[in-house]
Amino acid sequence: MDEQQQTYHIPVLLAESIEGMNLHNGGIYADLTFGGGGHSRGILDQMGPDSRLFGFDQDEDAEQNIPDDLRFTFVRSNFRYLHNFLRYYDIEETDAVLADLGVSSHHFDDATRGFSFRFDAPLDMRMNKRAGISASDIVNTYEEERLADIFYLYGELKNSRKIAAAITKARAVKPVTTTGDLVNIVKPFFGREREKKESARVFQALRIEVNHEMEALKEMLQAAIRSLKPGGRLVVITYHSLEDRMVKNVIKTGNAEGKVMQDFYGNKQTPLRAVGKAIVPSDEEIARNPRSRSAKLRIAEKQND
């Protein structure tokens, strides 16, 4: 891996996720979170000369990492549109899809993107810089109750109402436009020993809302099931309980809500079956890449219709 790729993002659970895809020559694969291209390069190294790999990413910065390989096709789009773009390229079925749901190191380390509270920067957080509303728009325009709901649901913050009230009060005096503005508002609600962790949850909640991450994940998982051929693999790396719960539900029941569906005869309608248990990074990987600490890899196989 060259220095640019290493700097952009270190791929998490690389060997384990590629093994989970069950690659073979002639297969059709999709890396739904291309980013720095680390997983895609690993897949290309192992997938055989007659295979094809589609890499999805909605962020224009990812385009600088496109590999020079005729087997690879880059798709500048949100992964929720997986099925539509596969049809555009005349692909009916895939053999495996991989999604690493983590935010790339590039986004956290690029001060201009506003993903991290380590820098005082414009409060943006959009994965796709061409569209949508920013985190600043949300904290300055959402009603207090709606803000509280976001912090509670997406950040799992128990003091979400107090945080929302403080933001509402502060913005009445002066718009909240930078990451530093936001940190200064929420800092008093967290003890020093938990300040970083709780601040990260505030930023996580806003990032999820800005990018509609839970809705996009739900649509992507359904599109993946639809595109996989029988025996095809769904390989997903999650980083927080909200997305992991959804992935687990889809693997278990075929839907994000975890509701078991039955046919007329009472047989469970489950399109996937889990392959093994969740895989977590080794101590060595966590030491090498601390951002992998909360990662969980889940693998599922599509069953015959």
Side-chain angles (χ1 to χ4, degrees):
M1 187 180 298
D2 64 36
E3 187 175 346
Q4 181 184 1
Q5 308 307 321
Q6 186 78 8
T7 302
Y8 195 102
H9 185 65
I10 302 171
V12 174
L13 292 163
L14 178 61
E16 295 88 343
S17 57
I18 293 176
E19 182 180 352
M21 293 178 75
N22 199 23
L23 302 176
H24 61 273
N25 191 29
I28 304 292
Y29 306 105
D31 177 357
L32 302 182
T33 46
F34 176 70
H39 283 103
S40 281
R41 282 178 170 75
I43 295 166
L44 288 167
D45 286 344
Q46 297 188 38
M47 75 180 193
D50 300 318
S51 298
R52 291 185 70 183
L53 173 63
F54 293 85
F56 284 70
D57 207 295
Q58 62 184 329
D59 185 4
E60 64 184 15
D61 290 356
E63 294 189 33
Q64 66 187 313
N65 303 316
I66 295 173
D68 183 16
D69 193 311
L70 294 176
R71 299 170 299 166
F72 181 82
T73 301
F74 182 76
V75 180
R76 173 82 184 276
S77 175
N78 189 297
F79 60 23
R80 72 201 304 170
Y81 303 116
L82 166 67
H83 188 70
N84 294 359
F85 276 95
L86 290 177
R87 288 182 63 191
Y88 175 79
Y89 286 104
D90 294 322
I91 302 298
E92 294 297 325
E93 293 181 315
T94 57
D95 292 87
V97 297
L98 165 67
D100 176 351
L101 302 180
V103 178
S104 74
S105 301
H106 167 74
H107 287 125
F108 283 127
D109 295 337
D110 182 350
T112 66
R113 302 297 293 270
F115 283 90
S116 175
F117 52 84
R118 291 183 293 124
F119 313 104
D120 189 14
L123 191 60
D124 195 320
M125 299 195 197
R126 288 174 298 167
M127 294 288 186
N128 181 353
K129 293 185 286 187
R130 300 180 302 179
I133 62 173
S134 69
S136 179
D137 294 328
I138 288 170
V139 298
N140 286 298
T141 64
Y142 276 25
E143 293 180 358
E144 183 178 321
E145 186 176 350
R146 190 174 178 190
L147 279 176
D149 287 345
I150 289 168
F151 293 131
Y152 183 77
L153 293 171
Y154 297 155
E156 300 181 292
L157 289 155
K158 293 179 181 177
N159 52 355
S160 61
R161 294 195 179 283
K162 291 181 179 178
I163 294 170
I167 291 173
T168 306
K169 184 178 179 181
R171 77 188 188 193
V173 178
K174 172 180 165 292
V176 183
T177 59
T178 70
T179 55
D181 291 341
L182 182 59
V183 168
N184 288 334
I185 294 168
V186 303
K187 190 188 297 185
F189 297 98
F190 311 133
R192 174 161 290 194
E193 70 284 353
R194 293 183 60 81
E195 185 180 316
K196 285 186 177 179
K197 186 172 184 179
E198 300 297 294
S199 295
R201 290 187 175 204
V202 170
F203 275 65
Q204 171 185 294
L206 286 173
R207 190 200 76 227
I208 290 173
E209 176 69 10
V210 166
N211 297 289
H212 307 291
E213 290 181 25
M214 300 311 293
E215 298 97 320
L217 175 58
K218 182 177 180 179
E219 290 182 27
M220 178 276 282
L221 290 169
Q222 292 304 318
I225 292 173
R226 191 175 175 188
S227 75
L228 285 168
K229 63 173 58 172
R233 293 286 183 89
L234 172 67
V235 180
V236 186
I237 304 171
T238 66
Y239 293 82
H240 58 76
S241 59
L242 297 174
E243 59 193 17
D244 188 58
R245 191 179 307 126
M246 184 181 292
V247 172
K248 202 160 47 170
N249 282 344
V250 167
I251 291 174
K252 187 176 181 181
T253 68
N255 58 75
E257 296 73 29
K259 184 178 179 181
V260 177
M261 307 298 287
Q262 297 180 335
D263 64 15
F264 179 78
Y265 300 101
N267 299 311
K268 293 180 181 179
Q269 302 288 89
T270 52
L272 301 172
R273 71 165 187 87
V275 177
K277 296 182 178 180
I279 300 169
V280 297
S282 65
D283 292 340
E284 292 78 14
E285 177 166 4
I286 293 171
R288 191 171 64 250
N289 179 15
R291 286 176 176 165
S292 70
R293 185 179 293 109
S294 58
K296 281 185 180 178
L297 169 65
R298 296 188 184 276
I299 304 165
E301 188 170 283
K302 187 172 182 180
Q303 304 195 77
N304 292 319
D305 295 333

mmCIF file of all heavy atoms in Angstrom, residues 55-90:
data_model
loop_
_atom_site.group_PDB
_atom_site.id
_atom_site.type_symbol
_atom_site.label_atom_id
_atom_site.label_comp_id
_atom_site.label_asym_id
_atom_site.label_seq_id
_atom_site.Cartn_x
_atom_site.Cartn_y
_atom_site.Cartn_z
ATOM 1 N N GLY A 55 -16.688 -0.273 -7.373
ATOM 2 C CA GLY A 55 -16.429 0.478 -6.149
ATOM 3 C C GLY A 55 -17.334 1.689 -6.059
ATOM 4 O O GLY A 55 -17.342 2.528 -6.961
ATOM 5 N N PHE A 56 -18.112 1.766 -4.996
ATOM 6 C CA PHE A 56 -19.063 2.868 -4.800
ATOM 7 C C PHE A 56 -18.513 3.877 -3.789
ATOM 8 O O PHE A 56 -18.009 3.488 -2.733
ATOM 9 C CB PHE A 56 -20.395 2.335 -4.260
ATOM 10 C CG PHE A 56 -21.265 1.661 -5.280
ATOM 11 C CD1 PHE A 56 -20.909 0.427 -5.817
ATOM 12 C CD2 PHE A 56 -22.441 2.255 -5.714
ATOM 13 C CE1 PHE A 56 -21.715 -0.195 -6.754
ATOM 14 C CE2 PHE A 56 -23.257 1.644 -6.645
ATOM 15 C CZ PHE A 56 -22.892 0.405 -7.170
ATOM 16 N N ASP A 57 -18.650 5.148 -4.090
ATOM 17 C CA ASP A 57 -18.383 6.205 -3.105
ATOM 18 C C ASP A 57 -18.994 7.501 -3.604
ATOM 19 O O ASP A 57 -18.847 7.853 -4.772
ATOM 20 C CB ASP A 57 -16.884 6.396 -2.867
ATOM 21 C CG ASP A 57 -16.607 6.937 -1.471
ATOM 22 O OD1 ASP A 57 -17.022 8.079 -1.190
ATOM 23 O OD2 ASP A 57 -15.999 6.225 -0.660
ATOM 24 N N GLN A 58 -19.685 8.213 -2.698
ATOM 25 C CA GLN A 58 -20.323 9.469 -3.085
ATOM 26 C C GLN A 58 -19.404 10.672 -2.920
ATOM 27 O O GLN A 58 -19.735 11.779 -3.340
ATOM 28 C CB GLN A 58 -21.588 9.688 -2.255
ATOM 29 C CG GLN A 58 -21.350 9.807 -0.754
ATOM 30 C CD GLN A 58 -22.631 9.923 0.033
ATOM 31 O OE1 GLN A 58 -23.614 10.473 -0.458
ATOM 32 N NE2 GLN A 58 -22.653 9.400 1.238
ATOM 33 N N ASP A 59 -18.231 10.467 -2.316
ATOM 34 C CA ASP A 59 -17.311 11.559 -2.032
ATOM 35 C C ASP A 59 -16.320 11.726 -3.182
ATOM 36 O O ASP A 59 -15.610 10.788 -3.536
ATOM 37 C CB ASP A 59 -16.571 11.271 -0.720
ATOM 38 C CG ASP A 59 -15.676 12.423 -0.289
ATOM 39 O OD1 ASP A 59 -15.691 13.472 -0.971
ATOM 40 O OD2 ASP A 59 -14.971 12.281 0.717
ATOM 41 N N GLU A 60 -16.251 12.931 -3.721
ATOM 42 C CA GLU A 60 -15.362 13.175 -4.859
ATOM 43 C C GLU A 60 -13.889 12.958 -4.495
ATOM 44 O O GLU A 60 -13.069 12.622 -5.355
ATOM 45 C CB GLU A 60 -15.548 14.600 -5.379
ATOM 46 C CG GLU A 60 -15.172 15.690 -4.404
ATOM 47 C CD GLU A 60 -15.468 17.082 -4.927
ATOM 48 O OE1 GLU A 60 -16.214 17.200 -5.917
ATOM 49 O OE2 GLU A 60 -14.953 18.044 -4.345
ATOM 50 N N ASP A 61 -13.528 13.121 -3.220
ATOM 51 C CA ASP A 61 -12.138 12.911 -2.815
ATOM 52 C C ASP A 61 -11.684 11.483 -3.064
ATOM 53 O O ASP A 61 -10.493 11.227 -3.257
ATOM 54 C CB ASP A 61 -11.956 13.243 -1.328
ATOM 55 C CG ASP A 61 -12.079 14.733 -1.029
ATOM 56 O OD1 ASP A 61 -12.232 15.515 -1.987
ATOM 57 O OD2 ASP A 61 -12.025 15.104 0.158
ATOM 58 N N ALA A 62 -12.622 10.528 -3.037
ATOM 59 C CA ALA A 62 -12.258 9.119 -3.228
ATOM 60 C C ALA A 62 -11.761 8.838 -4.640
ATOM 61 O O ALA A 62 -11.024 7.870 -4.861
ATOM 62 C CB ALA A 62 -13.454 8.225 -2.911
ATOM 63 N N GLU A 63 -12.124 9.682 -5.594
ATOM 64 C CA GLU A 63 -11.754 9.429 -6.985
ATOM 65 C C GLU A 63 -10.245 9.446 -7.202
ATOM 66 O O GLU A 63 -9.744 8.839 -8.151
ATOM 67 C CB GLU A 63 -12.448 10.441 -7.898
ATOM 68 C CG GLU A 63 -13.967 10.280 -7.911
ATOM 69 C CD GLU A 63 -14.644 11.129 -8.974
ATOM 70 O OE1 GLU A 63 -14.043 11.341 -10.039
ATOM 71 O OE2 GLU A 63 -15.776 11.568 -8.737
ATOM 72 N N GLN A 64 -9.504 10.139 -6.322
ATOM 73 C CA GLN A 64 -8.051 10.174 -6.473
ATOM 74 C C GLN A 64 -7.411 8.823 -6.167
ATOM 75 O O GLN A 64 -6.236 8.602 -6.466
ATOM 76 C CB GLN A 64 -7.463 11.246 -5.554
ATOM 77 C CG GLN A 64 -7.625 10.956 -4.070
ATOM 78 C CD GLN A 64 -7.189 12.101 -3.198
ATOM 79 O OE1 GLN A 64 -6.119 12.663 -3.397
ATOM 80 N NE2 GLN A 64 -8.022 12.467 -2.227
ATOM 81 N N ASN A 65 -8.181 7.903 -5.605
ATOM 82 C CA ASN A 65 -7.644 6.603 -5.207
ATOM 83 C C ASN A 65 -8.030 5.467 -6.157
ATOM 84 O O ASN A 65 -7.761 4.298 -5.859
ATOM 85 C CB ASN A 65 -8.131 6.255 -3.793
ATOM 86 C CG ASN A 65 -7.754 7.328 -2.781
ATOM 87 O OD1 ASN A 65 -6.637 7.824 -2.785
ATOM 88 N ND2 ASN A 65 -8.695 7.696 -1.927
ATOM 89 N N ILE A 66 -8.676 5.785 -7.287
ATOM 90 C CA ILE A 66 -9.122 4.746 -8.223
ATOM 91 C C ILE A 66 -7.922 3.970 -8.768
ATOM 92 O O ILE A 66 -6.974 4.552 -9.286
ATOM 93 C CB ILE A 66 -9.910 5.375 -9.389
ATOM 94 C CG1 ILE A 66 -11.203 6.014 -8.865
ATOM 95 C CG2 ILE A 66 -10.236 4.331 -10.458
ATOM 96 C CD1 ILE A 66 -11.972 6.801 -9.915
ATOM 97 N N PRO A 67 -7.938 2.643 -8.640
ATOM 98 C CA PRO A 67 -6.815 1.838 -9.133
ATOM 99 C C PRO A 67 -6.821 1.739 -10.656
ATOM 100 O O PRO A 67 -7.872 1.781 -11.291
ATOM 101 C CB PRO A 67 -7.054 0.468 -8.497
ATOM 102 C CG PRO A 67 -8.531 0.415 -8.265
ATOM 103 C CD PRO A 67 -8.962 1.827 -7.972
ATOM 104 N N ASP A 68 -5.637 1.609 -11.222
ATOM 105 C CA ASP A 68 -5.496 1.452 -12.671
ATOM 106 C C ASP A 68 -5.633 -0.037 -12.988
ATOM 107 O O ASP A 68 -4.654 -0.768 -13.096
ATOM 108 C CB ASP A 68 -4.133 1.989 -13.115
ATOM 109 C CG ASP A 68 -3.953 1.912 -14.625
ATOM 110 O OD1 ASP A 68 -4.968 1.739 -15.331
ATOM 111 O OD2 ASP A 68 -2.799 2.009 -15.088
ATOM 112 N N ASP A 69 -6.871 -0.472 -13.098
ATOM 113 C CA ASP A 69 -7.159 -1.896 -13.305
ATOM 114 C C ASP A 69 -8.436 -2.004 -14.128
ATOM 115 O O ASP A 69 -9.482 -1.496 -13.719
ATOM 116 C CB ASP A 69 -7.319 -2.590 -11.949
ATOM 117 C CG ASP A 69 -7.317 -4.111 -12.056
ATOM 118 O OD1 ASP A 69 -8.059 -4.646 -12.910
ATOM 119 O OD2 ASP A 69 -6.592 -4.756 -11.278
ATOM 120 N N LEU A 70 -8.366 -2.649 -15.268
ATOM 121 C CA LEU A 70 -9.522 -2.744 -16.170
ATOM 122 C C LEU A 70 -10.670 -3.546 -15.559
ATOM 123 O O LEU A 70 -11.805 -3.439 -16.027
ATOM 124 C CB LEU A 70 -9.088 -3.378 -17.498
ATOM 125 C CG LEU A 70 -8.111 -2.553 -18.355
ATOM 126 C CD1 LEU A 70 -7.687 -3.339 -19.587
ATOM 127 C CD2 LEU A 70 -8.753 -1.228 -18.758
ATOM 128 N N ARG A 71 -10.401 -4.330 -14.532
ATOM 129 C CA ARG A 71 -11.456 -5.112 -13.885
ATOM 130 C C ARG A 71 -12.285 -4.259 -12.922
ATOM 131 O O ARG A 71 -13.306 -4.722 -12.411
ATOM 132 C CB ARG A 71 -10.842 -6.289 -13.123
ATOM 133 C CG ARG A 71 -10.074 -7.287 -13.987
ATOM 134 C CD ARG A 71 -9.304 -8.271 -13.110
ATOM 135 N NE ARG A 71 -8.324 -7.573 -12.279
ATOM 136 C CZ ARG A 71 -7.696 -8.105 -11.224
ATOM 137 N NH1 ARG A 71 -7.968 -9.356 -10.871
ATOM 138 N NH2 ARG A 71 -6.823 -7.411 -10.533
ATOM 139 N N PHE A 72 -11.834 -3.021 -12.668
ATOM 140 C CA PHE A 72 -12.460 -2.156 -11.666
ATOM 141 C C PHE A 72 -13.284 -1.054 -12.328
ATOM 142 O O PHE A 72 -12.841 -0.418 -13.290
ATOM 143 C CB PHE A 72 -11.394 -1.518 -10.778
ATOM 144 C CG PHE A 72 -11.957 -0.621 -9.705
ATOM 145 C CD1 PHE A 72 -12.437 -1.150 -8.512
ATOM 146 C CD2 PHE A 72 -12.037 0.755 -9.900
ATOM 147 C CE1 PHE A 72 -12.971 -0.318 -7.524
ATOM 148 C CE2 PHE A 72 -12.562 1.589 -8.922
ATOM 149 C CZ PHE A 72 -13.028 1.051 -7.737
ATOM 150 N N THR A 73 -14.489 -0.819 -11.790
ATOM 151 C CA THR A 73 -15.353 0.280 -12.246
ATOM 152 C C THR A 73 -15.735 1.120 -11.038
ATOM 153 O O THR A 73 -16.278 0.593 -10.060
ATOM 154 C CB THR A 73 -16.636 -0.260 -12.909
ATOM 155 O OG1 THR A 73 -16.275 -1.075 -14.022
ATOM 156 C CG2 THR A 73 -17.523 0.893 -13.386
ATOM 157 N N PHE A 74 -15.447 2.423 -11.095
ATOM 158 C CA PHE A 74 -15.802 3.321 -9.999
ATOM 159 C C PHE A 74 -17.186 3.909 -10.245
ATOM 160 O O PHE A 74 -17.497 4.362 -11.344
ATOM 161 C CB PHE A 74 -14.782 4.458 -9.876
ATOM 162 C CG PHE A 74 -15.078 5.400 -8.734
ATOM 163 C CD1 PHE A 74 -14.806 5.039 -7.430
ATOM 164 C CD2 PHE A 74 -15.655 6.648 -8.977
ATOM 165 C CE1 PHE A 74 -15.084 5.903 -6.375
ATOM 166 C CE2 PHE A 74 -15.932 7.517 -7.932
ATOM 167 C CZ PHE A 74 -15.649 7.142 -6.616
ATOM 168 N N VAL A 75 -18.031 3.907 -9.212
ATOM 169 C CA VAL A 75 -19.380 4.457 -9.294
ATOM 170 C C VAL A 75 -19.479 5.603 -8.283
ATOM 171 O O VAL A 75 -19.413 5.371 -7.079
ATOM 172 C CB VAL A 75 -20.458 3.391 -8.992
ATOM 173 C CG1 VAL A 75 -21.846 4.010 -9.101
ATOM 174 C CG2 VAL A 75 -20.313 2.207 -9.936
ATOM 175 N N ARG A 76 -19.634 6.820 -8.783
ATOM 176 C CA ARG A 76 -19.740 7.989 -7.897
ATOM 177 C C ARG A 76 -21.189 8.106 -7.421
ATOM 178 O O ARG A 76 -22.017 8.798 -8.002
ATOM 179 C CB ARG A 76 -19.314 9.252 -8.665
ATOM 180 C CG ARG A 76 -19.542 10.558 -7.923
ATOM 181 C CD ARG A 76 -18.433 10.852 -6.950
ATOM 182 N NE ARG A 76 -18.740 12.055 -6.186
ATOM 183 C CZ ARG A 76 -18.499 13.302 -6.591
ATOM 184 N NH1 ARG A 76 -17.947 13.530 -7.766
ATOM 185 N NH2 ARG A 76 -18.794 14.329 -5.814
ATOM 186 N N SER A 77 -21.505 7.367 -6.367
ATOM 187 C CA SER A 77 -22.888 7.354 -5.892
ATOM 188 C C SER A 77 -22.955 6.800 -4.477
ATOM 189 O O SER A 77 -22.065 6.072 -4.021
ATOM 190 C CB SER A 77 -23.754 6.487 -6.807
ATOM 191 O OG SER A 77 -25.075 6.360 -6.297
ATOM 192 N N ASN A 78 -24.030 7.148 -3.783
ATOM 193 C CA ASN A 78 -24.341 6.559 -2.488
ATOM 194 C C ASN A 78 -24.662 5.081 -2.678
ATOM 195 O O ASN A 78 -25.319 4.692 -3.643
ATOM 196 C CB ASN A 78 -25.551 7.282 -1.880
ATOM 197 C CG ASN A 78 -25.827 6.884 -0.449
ATOM 198 O OD1 ASN A 78 -26.134 5.737 -0.160
ATOM 199 N ND2 ASN A 78 -25.738 7.837 0.458
ATOM 200 N N PHE A 79 -24.218 4.252 -1.731
ATOM 201 C CA PHE A 79 -24.419 2.803 -1.900
ATOM 202 C C PHE A 79 -25.876 2.367 -1.826
ATOM 203 O O PHE A 79 -26.200 1.230 -2.162
ATOM 204 C CB PHE A 79 -23.561 1.992 -0.928
ATOM 205 C CG PHE A 79 -23.780 2.223 0.558
ATOM 206 C CD1 PHE A 79 -24.962 2.736 1.073
ATOM 207 C CD2 PHE A 79 -22.769 1.894 1.458
ATOM 208 C CE1 PHE A 79 -25.152 2.913 2.437
ATOM 209 C CE2 PHE A 79 -22.945 2.068 2.835
ATOM 210 C CZ PHE A 79 -24.143 2.582 3.317
ATOM 211 N N ARG A 80 -26.759 3.270 -1.429
ATOM 212 C CA ARG A 80 -28.183 2.912 -1.400
ATOM 213 C C ARG A 80 -28.704 2.638 -2.807
ATOM 214 O O ARG A 80 -29.739 1.994 -2.982
ATOM 215 C CB ARG A 80 -28.986 4.011 -0.712
ATOM 216 C CG ARG A 80 -29.132 5.265 -1.526
ATOM 217 C CD ARG A 80 -29.475 6.494 -0.695
ATOM 218 N NE ARG A 80 -30.678 6.347 0.104
ATOM 219 C CZ ARG A 80 -31.042 7.234 1.043
ATOM 220 N NH1 ARG A 80 -30.293 8.307 1.290
ATOM 221 N NH2 ARG A 80 -32.151 7.053 1.717
ATOM 222 N N TYR A 81 -27.994 3.134 -3.822
ATOM 223 C CA TYR A 81 -28.420 2.956 -5.227
ATOM 224 C C TYR A 81 -27.695 1.793 -5.905
ATOM 225 O O TYR A 81 -27.596 1.747 -7.132
ATOM 226 C CB TYR A 81 -28.206 4.252 -6.002
ATOM 227 C CG TYR A 81 -28.924 5.425 -5.385
ATOM 228 C CD1 TYR A 81 -28.213 6.511 -4.878
ATOM 229 C CD2 TYR A 81 -30.315 5.431 -5.270
ATOM 230 C CE1 TYR A 81 -28.878 7.589 -4.293
ATOM 231 C CE2 TYR A 81 -30.980 6.499 -4.681
ATOM 232 C CZ TYR A 81 -30.259 7.579 -4.195
ATOM 233 O OH TYR A 81 -30.923 8.623 -3.610
ATOM 234 N N LEU A 82 -27.198 0.864 -5.111
ATOM 235 C CA LEU A 82 -26.468 -0.295 -5.620
ATOM 236 C C LEU A 82 -27.208 -0.991 -6.754
ATOM 237 O O LEU A 82 -26.654 -1.202 -7.847
ATOM 238 C CB LEU A 82 -26.237 -1.285 -4.468
ATOM 239 C CG LEU A 82 -25.792 -2.707 -4.847
ATOM 240 C CD1 LEU A 82 -24.406 -2.683 -5.452
ATOM 241 C CD2 LEU A 82 -25.835 -3.628 -3.623
ATOM 242 N N HIS A 83 -28.455 -1.357 -6.532
ATOM 243 C CA HIS A 83 -29.192 -2.142 -7.519
ATOM 244 C C HIS A 83 -29.365 -1.373 -8.833
ATOM 245 O O HIS A 83 -29.189 -1.941 -9.924
ATOM 246 C CB HIS A 83 -30.560 -2.543 -6.959
ATOM 247 C CG HIS A 83 -31.310 -3.501 -7.811
ATOM 248 N ND1 HIS A 83 -30.931 -4.814 -7.976
ATOM 249 C CD2 HIS A 83 -32.429 -3.339 -8.570
ATOM 250 C CE1 HIS A 83 -31.771 -5.419 -8.798
ATOM 251 N NE2 HIS A 83 -32.687 -4.551 -9.163
ATOM 252 N N ASN A 84 -29.672 -0.082 -8.723
ATOM 253 C CA ASN A 84 -29.875 0.736 -9.930
ATOM 254 C C ASN A 84 -28.618 0.783 -10.798
ATOM 255 O O ASN A 84 -28.693 0.639 -12.032
ATOM 256 C CB ASN A 84 -30.256 2.174 -9.548
ATOM 257 C CG ASN A 84 -31.604 2.254 -8.876
ATOM 258 O OD1 ASN A 84 -32.274 1.236 -8.697
ATOM 259 N ND2 ASN A 84 -31.999 3.446 -8.482
ATOM 260 N N PHE A 85 -27.459 0.970 -10.157
ATOM 261 C CA PHE A 85 -26.230 1.091 -10.945
ATOM 262 C C PHE A 85 -25.761 -0.251 -11.488
ATOM 263 O O PHE A 85 -25.192 -0.306 -12.584
ATOM 264 C CB PHE A 85 -25.136 1.770 -10.113
ATOM 265 C CG PHE A 85 -25.232 3.263 -10.135
ATOM 266 C CD1 PHE A 85 -25.902 3.945 -9.132
ATOM 267 C CD2 PHE A 85 -24.699 3.997 -11.188
ATOM 268 C CE1 PHE A 85 -26.020 5.332 -9.158
ATOM 269 C CE2 PHE A 85 -24.806 5.380 -11.232
ATOM 270 C CZ PHE A 85 -25.466 6.049 -10.213
ATOM 271 N N LEU A 86 -26.002 -1.315 -10.767
ATOM 272 C CA LEU A 86 -25.658 -2.624 -11.326
ATOM 273 C C LEU A 86 -26.477 -2.898 -12.583
ATOM 274 O O LEU A 86 -25.951 -3.409 -13.583
ATOM 275 C CB LEU A 86 -25.896 -3.719 -10.278
ATOM 276 C CG LEU A 86 -24.926 -3.741 -9.090
ATOM 277 C CD1 LEU A 86 -25.339 -4.821 -8.102
ATOM 278 C CD2 LEU A 86 -23.478 -3.967 -9.546
ATOM 279 N N ARG A 87 -27.738 -2.527 -12.536
ATOM 280 C CA ARG A 87 -28.584 -2.700 -13.730
ATOM 281 C C ARG A 87 -28.069 -1.827 -14.877
ATOM 282 O O ARG A 87 -28.091 -2.239 -16.047
ATOM 283 C CB ARG A 87 -30.034 -2.342 -13.406
ATOM 284 C CG ARG A 87 -30.724 -3.380 -12.521
ATOM 285 C CD ARG A 87 -32.163 -3.015 -12.255
ATOM 286 N NE ARG A 87 -32.965 -2.986 -13.472
ATOM 287 C CZ ARG A 87 -34.202 -2.493 -13.541
ATOM 288 N NH1 ARG A 87 -34.773 -2.002 -12.446
ATOM 289 N NH2 ARG A 87 -34.873 -2.513 -14.668
ATOM 290 N N TYR A 88 -27.615 -0.616 -14.551
ATOM 291 C CA TYR A 88 -27.057 0.283 -15.577
ATOM 292 C C TYR A 88 -25.876 -0.375 -16.286
ATOM 293 O O TYR A 88 -25.690 -0.203 -17.504
ATOM 294 C CB TYR A 88 -26.629 1.596 -14.920
ATOM 295 C CG TYR A 88 -25.932 2.554 -15.845
ATOM 296 C CD1 TYR A 88 -26.649 3.344 -16.743
ATOM 297 C CD2 TYR A 88 -24.540 2.677 -15.826
ATOM 298 C CE1 TYR A 88 -26.014 4.222 -17.594
ATOM 299 C CE2 TYR A 88 -23.890 3.558 -16.679
ATOM 300 C CZ TYR A 88 -24.629 4.323 -17.559
ATOM 301 O OH TYR A 88 -23.982 5.197 -18.404
ATOM 302 N N TYR A 89 -25.089 -1.127 -15.542
ATOM 303 C CA TYR A 89 -23.924 -1.812 -16.120
ATOM 304 C C TYR A 89 -24.255 -3.238 -16.569
ATOM 305 O O TYR A 89 -23.360 -4.051 -16.794
ATOM 306 C CB TYR A 89 -22.775 -1.835 -15.107
ATOM 307 C CG TYR A 89 -22.112 -0.488 -14.945
ATOM 308 C CD1 TYR A 89 -22.363 0.307 -13.826
ATOM 309 C CD2 TYR A 89 -21.242 0.002 -15.917
ATOM 310 C CE1 TYR A 89 -21.763 1.546 -13.673
ATOM 311 C CE2 TYR A 89 -20.628 1.238 -15.770
ATOM 312 C CZ TYR A 89 -20.897 2.011 -14.649
ATOM 313 O OH TYR A 89 -20.295 3.243 -14.517
ATOM 314 N N ASP A 90 -25.559 -3.529 -16.680
ATOM 315 C CA ASP A 90 -26.027 -4.839 -17.168
ATOM 316 C C ASP A 90 -25.586 -5.995 -16.269
ATOM 317 O O ASP A 90 -25.300 -7.105 -16.740
ATOM 318 C CB ASP A 90 -25.547 -5.100 -18.608
ATOM 319 C CG ASP A 90 -26.175 -4.135 -19.594
ATOM 320 O OD1 ASP A 90 -27.361 -3.811 -19.427
ATOM 321 O OD2 ASP A 90 -25.463 -3.698 -20.526
#
